[in-house]
Amino acid sequence: MGVCDAFARYAPARKPDAMSAPHPPKVAGFDSPLPSSAPASPTVPPVAGTPSCTPPPRTGAVPDAPARPAGTRHCTEPRTLLEDRLAGRIADLASLHDLTRCLVRTGTVRDALREILHAGARLLGARRGLAVLDQDGPPGEYGPHTPVGHGLTHEELGQLETVPAADRPQAPLTTDPTLTEVARPDLTAEVALTPRHREVADRLGYAAAYAHALDPHDGSRLGAAVWLFDGPAVPGPAERRTAAHYLGLAGDHLARLLEVDRARARLAALAEGLLPSRLPTMPGVRLAVRHRTGPLGGGDWFDALPLPEGALGLAVGSVAGSGPQAVAARGRLRAALRAYAVMEGEDPVAVLSDLELMLRLTEPGCPATALFAHCRPGGRRLTLAGAGHNPPLVLGDRRAEFVETGVSAPLGMLGCWEAPGAEVRLDPGETVLLWTDGLLRRTGDPVDRAFARLHRAAAGVPRRLRDDPETVADHVLQAMLPDGRDATDGADDMVLLAARFD
């Protein structure tokens, strides 16, 4: 017999070590604080006063049911409660994941606010809500204290705006930056409720409100969201905790969207500042322009400038690319063209030749297209030249046709640029349309179909509308872009310049 066998045979009996004692089972990776459900030794009597884990006998139990072995303990109820709590927490995290994934897909502040209100209504069990930001936004989108509603009509939002500011559900959040939530479980029972608020609540049919701040993690406050309940109610701690997690993430997303809006607004202001603020007024000609800038800022530009001896210069062009670089390049290009047009505007080919030389020396690798026309309104004669640009279109009572300008390369593409000039004689009452590629691209059609579409749009202008270049430009845009693709958030820049000669 070996030494180990001898030790195992003659070793004295003792209690097992604590390290080798059986452990309670784990649930979802957490050590259970509950006692083990292992059966106790029948020889050890229970301590007096210790609560038993055996459930009491049920009323109406079957009398012949077999009795359980003596000393058996059942602790399944506390374990079930723990599993239920963990399952509920996992369900909340899954809901947060789904709602957050829907939120990050929104690309505008207004869409994000609507998604936040929808998600909060789902988490808190509300049917209606509204959100208010303290930040400025694009014109017509949102502004300080301008509400965005969920389940509320425009008229109902207007009625809520008539409630005194100090009595609105989000009022404490706007005055005390340390508060993050305000619960008003029963508005009808509030003695200090203003009569106007009580009247609006009765008319709209809500009796409770819950407001939460929209705070990103940088500590700033963007605004607040409010949810309205049809009856007296207050969200429970679990619902409020889940909503707080979601609104924290939503605040970060809103902060990013607001910063993008501010950057776009600054770029749009810069882009508009590099274009004429108003068109010149000259006898014998009337002008109108429609210009749209893409969200990234593009290189399409236009100009109309008085020249010596009562002449007029008209120009449109486009710089390749988008963003601040393209906006700055188009500003420099337009400024240079103005200088060359004043010096030698009667020769459009010379103007574009000087512009090409400047572009090649100062803006290498920045191709651009341009079209310049010199005209004397009284004589109704245009002399023009184009550098890789689209030809203008003449609209009159007896014709709607493109002007033949000849084939030419864009500026900055060749070592020595040359292009033929063209001359157009106009009849009284005819309108010349100058435009950029963005007008064609916004239609979504191939180039040949887009050209045909533009021709039909111009020829289809009613005769009663052709006396005003403003109505001509509007009709052409409406016929070209019936789906609203001429909006300011379109993908491409677009210019349409109309000049009507009397």
Side-chain angles (χ1 to χ4, degrees):
M1 181 180 295
V3 177
C4 295
D5 294 334
F7 272 102
R9 181 175 181 180
Y10 297 105
R14 60 184 178 87
K15 290 185 177 180
D17 294 333
M19 295 292 295
S20 61
H23 287 273
K26 291 185 177 181
V27 179
F30 295 97
D31 290 329
S32 174
L34 306 177
S36 172
S37 58
S41 173
T43 59
V44 181
V47 180
T50 303
S52 174
C53 292
T54 304
R58 295 176 298 173
T59 304
V62 181
D64 297 334
R68 298 185 181 273
T72 303
R73 302 166 61 193
H74 299 279
C75 298
T76 58
E77 288 185 356
R79 177 177 176 179
T80 302
L81 293 176
L82 176 61
E83 291 177 347
D84 290 343
R85 288 198 300 269
L86 291 175
R89 188 59 179 161
I90 292 173
D92 292 341
L93 294 176
S95 298
L96 277 177
H97 177 267
D98 294 338
L99 296 175
T100 306
R101 184 172 57 181
C102 295
L103 176 64
V104 298
R105 291 175 181 172
T106 58
T108 65
V109 173
R110 182 168 288 273
D111 290 342
L113 288 175
R114 289 172 176 168
E115 179 61 31
I116 290 171
L117 292 173
H118 171 74
R122 175 180 169 183
L123 292 174
L124 300 172
R127 189 170 58 90
R128 293 172 291 179
L130 67 151
V132 181
L133 290 183
D134 296 332
Q135 308 288 328
D136 288 316
E141 288 294 325
Y142 58 88
H145 314 296
T146 301
V148 176
H150 170 73
L152 295 168
T153 64
H154 183 72
E155 291 76 15
E156 291 173 338
L157 286 174
Q159 294 183 36
L160 288 170
E161 283 293 285
T162 63
V163 175
D167 195 37
R168 295 173 187 173
Q170 74 274 15
L173 300 178
T174 59
T175 57
D176 188 354
T178 61
L179 286 178
T180 58
E181 61 177 355
V182 175
R184 304 177 74 170
D186 191 358
L187 292 172
T188 59
E190 294 186 11
V191 179
L193 194 69
T194 61
R196 180 56 185 170
H197 194 174
R198 193 179 304 276
E199 177 185 353
V200 171
D202 292 340
R203 184 177 301 173
L204 300 185
Y206 67 89
Y210 176 76
H212 199 286
L214 296 174
D215 295 347
H217 287 96
D218 61 1
S220 61
R221 175 150 298 180
L222 303 180
V226 183
W227 288 272
L228 305 176
F229 300 87
D230 296 340
V234 62
E239 289 81 4
R240 293 162 71 168
R241 181 174 59 250
T242 305
H245 284 303
Y246 174 79
L247 293 174
L249 300 173
D252 291 339
H253 184 63
L254 274 178
R256 288 190 292 269
L257 291 180
L258 287 169
E259 183 58 33
V260 170
D261 275 356
R262 296 188 191 101
R264 287 178 177 175
R266 290 191 293 266
L267 183 59
L270 173 63
E272 293 299 325
L274 296 175
L275 295 175
S277 58
R278 62 182 181 86
L279 297 175
T281 302
M282 299 183 65
V285 63
R286 285 180 290 166
L287 304 174
V289 67
R290 298 294 181 267
H291 174 247
R292 302 290 187 268
T293 302
L296 300 179
D300 289 9
W301 56 275
F302 69 94
D303 206 348
L305 65 155
L307 297 176
E309 300 179 0
L312 176 67
L314 300 175
V316 292
S318 179
V319 177
S322 61
Q325 294 82 6
V327 172
R330 88 181 188 188
R332 293 189 293 266
L333 194 68
R334 171 177 168 262
L337 183 138
R338 287 193 138 212
Y340 299 140
V342 171
M343 292 187 296
E344 46 190 358
E346 294 185 359
D347 188 357
V349 174
V351 172
L352 293 185
S353 297
D354 295 341
L355 190 63
E356 196 275 338
L357 178 61
M358 186 278 300
L359 190 67
R360 180 154 40 91
L361 294 177
T362 62
E363 305 281 349
C366 182
T369 65
L371 186 143
F372 177 72
H374 177 276
C375 62
R376 297 185 183 277
R380 293 188 302 276
R381 182 174 64 91
L382 270 73
T383 304
L384 55 91
H389 203 79
N390 299 307
L393 189 149
V394 178
L395 172 64
D397 292 337
R398 293 179 294 179
R399 62 173 173 171
E401 60 185 19
F402 292 103
V403 177
E404 181 59 45
T405 58
V407 179
S408 60
L411 302 174
M413 296 293 290
L414 301 177
C416 181
W417 178 87
E418 290 185 3
E423 184 175 304
V424 181
R425 292 190 176 275
L426 303 172
D427 294 332
E430 288 190 326
T431 301
V432 179
L433 299 177
L434 286 74
W435 44 282
T436 60
D437 284 337
L439 181 60
L440 302 183
R441 289 194 296 267
R442 288 199 177 203
T443 63
D445 294 336
V447 176
D448 54 345
R449 293 184 181 179
F451 264 96
R453 191 169 184 172
L454 175 59
H455 184 270
R456 290 194 304 269
V461 177
R463 293 184 182 275
R464 67 180 186 279
L465 302 178
R466 296 185 182 184
D467 293 338
D468 186 4
E470 299 280 351
T471 58
V472 170
D474 290 336
H475 188 277
V476 170
L477 281 185
Q478 182 63 29
M480 286 285 290
L481 310 169
D483 298 332
R485 295 181 182 177
D486 60 330
T488 55
D489 58 351
D492 301 296
D493 279 15
M494 181 273 298
V495 169
L496 178 63
L497 178 61
R500 185 187 187 279
F501 293 84
D502 298 329

